[in-house]
Every structure is written in structure tokens, then in C-alpha cells.
Amino acid sequence: YYEKAPKDFIAKLNEYQMLEQFDFDINGLPRPVCNGPGSKLWNWSNLPQMGTGYSINVTPIHLLTFYNAIANGGRMMKPYLVESIEQDGKVIEERGPVELNGAICSPQTAAEVTKGLLAVTQEEKGTAHFRMKDCKLKVAGKTGTAFYTIPVSKGGNPKNPFEDLQGNRERQCTFAGFFPADDPQYTAIIALYTYRTKEH
């Protein structure tokens, strides 16, 4: 859809606050990295790679904020840790919740996305069905698997940054979602890293 207009895709990510550094309650939250059209690192493969989790770096809190928006019917809320600051028993600063930049989608669209996320955990062909079919609560979420680079200093292959010299790869496996799906209260992201193994 964005093949001839990759800048529009990047603009959409900006609308979703995915590329902004949040004014968060603790210091040190990294800024997301996305090399768009016009940057020296941009090439024809970046756009399709972004759809599968490559060529873009976002923090877990950015991803969770996006999932929260789907759980909230399209309303994206600023993440925060502290609700208010008190001194001598009196509130001197209120901090949350605050809506970010309006809705990212309609409630109807959020409901359709939630159906898709439920299919991942509830339907037999879903990539998380085997592990989550017997959960006490319905979880709406999505799995993700990505190879990550192996530096040459750690035995990486200079001709293929995703392999070592023996052809082994390492993966980052993730699951992000919210529950209970019909009345969301919690959002979570889990990341696991595999041992270095051959492709099967």
C-alpha cells in the first residue's frame, strides 16, 4: 500500500507516537530509531522489513502504549508511573492519565484488530494457541520472532550479520498483548532469547 509513498508510512508511525521519546516519569528512556526515506541507511528493502519488525527500533514501552490504545478502543494514553506527587499530605502535582494526540483509530477498527489478536491465542492455527489455549482469561496478543545480529567480535560472519561462521543464528521471540480481552485491565510484553542454533 505504501510502496510508492514510504514517507506516508513513516508519517503514520509518527501519528501513532511510535517514533517519539515520551516525557516519561524516569530518565533514560531511549528514543526510537527509524531511518526513513532520505537517510543514508534507507534502501528499497526497509519498508517491507518494517512490517516484520526489522529496520526499526522501538522500546517495549512504545509497543505497549500502542497495544494499550487498541485495548482502549483506539484512545492512546501517555504511559506513567506516578499518578500524583504529595507534600505534607497535599497533592502538589497531578500527573496522569493523559491522552496522547487523540484516537489512533475508531472503536470499530480497534474491535476488529482485537478479533485478530484473539485469533492468535484462541484459534487452532494461531501462533500462540498451543501455549495459551487453556488460559483462565482470554488474552489478545501477537507473537513475533526476529533474528538479531551477531557481531564479528562474538563470532559473527562478516558476510551475513545474522549468522556466525558455522551458519548458526540467534532469535528474539516476543509476545505482546492485553487481558482479559473482553475487559482489558493489563498489558504485557515478554521477550525471550534463544541459544545460537542452525536453521531447521
Side-chain angles (χ1 to χ4, degrees), residues 142-172:
K142 182 70 185 81
T143 58
T145 305
F147 294 113
Y148 60 95
T149 57
I150 303 170
V152 172
S153 62
K154 293 187 178 180
N157 183 346
K159 294 181 180 177
N160 184 341
F162 298 108
E163 291 184 353
D164 64 15
L165 293 171
Q166 289 74 43
N168 298 314
R169 294 186 171 206
E170 295 179 50
R171 298 169 184 78
Q172 173 185 285

Side-chain angles (χ1 to χ4, degrees), residues 34-55:
C34 176
N35 297 300
S39 82
K40 62 181 181 180
L41 296 175
W42 179 263
N43 64 52
W44 65 270
S45 67
N46 287 125
L47 189 63
Q49 285 178 342
M50 285 178 182
T52 56
Y54 294 95
S55 297

Side-chain angles (χ1 to χ4, degrees), residues 80-98:
Y80 66 94
L81 296 175
V82 178
E83 197 162 278
S84 63
I85 297 174
E86 295 182 11
Q87 184 174 353
D88 299 326
K90 293 182 180 178
V91 175
I92 60 171
E93 186 181 339
E94 295 276 2
R95 288 209 171 169
V98 174

Side-chain angles (χ1 to χ4, degrees), residues 4-138:
K4 296 188 189 321
K7 286 184 179 178
D8 292 347
F9 180 79
I10 306 299
K12 190 59 75 172
L13 292 179
N14 276 309
E15 275 182 41
Y16 296 157
Q17 313 284 321
M18 292 295 280
L19 304 179
E20 292 187 16
Q21 189 171 25
F22 294 124
D23 175 22
F24 198 45
D25 292 348
I26 54 176
N27 293 327
L29 186 68
R31 179 178 292 280
V33 177
C34 176
N35 297 300
S39 82
K40 62 181 181 180
L41 296 175
W42 179 263
N43 64 52
W44 65 270
S45 67
N46 287 125
L47 189 63
Q49 285 178 342
M50 285 178 182
T52 56
Y54 294 95
S55 297
I56 185 169
N57 290 324
V58 298
T59 69
I61 198 75
H62 282 83
L63 198 58
L64 288 177
T65 301
F66 187 84
Y67 272 83
N68 278 342
I70 300 302
N72 285 330
R75 292 175 61 232
M76 182 172 277
M77 308 301 290
K78 177 186 168 186
Y80 66 94
L81 296 175
V82 178
E83 197 162 278
S84 63
I85 297 174
E86 295 182 11
Q87 184 174 353
D88 299 326
K90 293 182 180 178
V91 175
I92 60 171
E93 186 181 339
E94 295 276 2
R95 288 209 171 169
V98 174
E99 191 168 336
L100 288 172
N101 203 26
I104 65 165
C105 65
S106 69
Q108 293 81 8
T109 298
E112 286 300 310
V113 173
T114 300
K115 276 189 201 174
L117 297 174
L118 269 170
V120 172
T121 62
Q122 300 296 306
E123 294 185 8
E124 199 166 323
K125 291 183 180 178
T127 52
H129 177 258
F130 177 74
R131 294 285 182 196
M132 305 193 80
K133 61 184 177 182
D134 297 323
C135 286
K136 301 294 182 190
L137 301 170
K138 285 189 177 178

